[in-house]
Amino acid sequence: PESRSPIQFGKAEVLGNPSSDDRSSTVAIVALGSMVSEAWRAAGPLNEMGVRATAGNARFIKPFDIETISKVAQECGAMITVE
């Protein structure tokens, strides 16, 4: 993503989907560390195939941002974790 928010300790970051439209996603791809860019790249081809995908950066294992991750999971209905 081109613009990133400042890191807030203990907070995950929802990157969105590479197609940059406002339609809701059907799957979330959530990753940590070096795998975040892979999650972002994976969302692109999924969107092209008609699977609305959004990418997320969990950022921290401890403390884990269960609130943000749960919200994304509920909005999308399915979640893939990349570790």
Side-chain angles (χ1 to χ4, degrees), residues 51-82:
V51 177
R52 305 295 310 140
T54 191
N57 181 358
R59 285 189 174 154
F60 300 93
I61 291 294
K62 189 173 183 177
F64 187 73
D65 185 1
I66 192 72
E67 182 180 325
T68 301
I69 301 300
S70 294
K71 181 180 176 188
V72 169
Q74 289 174 351
E75 289 173 357
C76 293
M79 181 175 287
I80 299 167
T81 60
V82 182

Side-chain angles (χ1 to χ4, degrees), residues 3-45:
S3 65
R4 303 282 303 266
S5 59
I7 294 176
Q8 294 178 317
F9 183 72
K11 293 303 253 176
E13 175 184 31
V14 179
L15 303 173
N17 72 55
S19 66
S20 299
D21 63 28
D22 291 334
R23 294 185 294 163
S24 62
S25 295
T26 55
V27 63
I29 307 170
V30 179
L32 287 164
S34 63
M35 298 307 291
V36 173
S37 61
E38 298 299 323
W40 178 257
R41 281 199 291 268

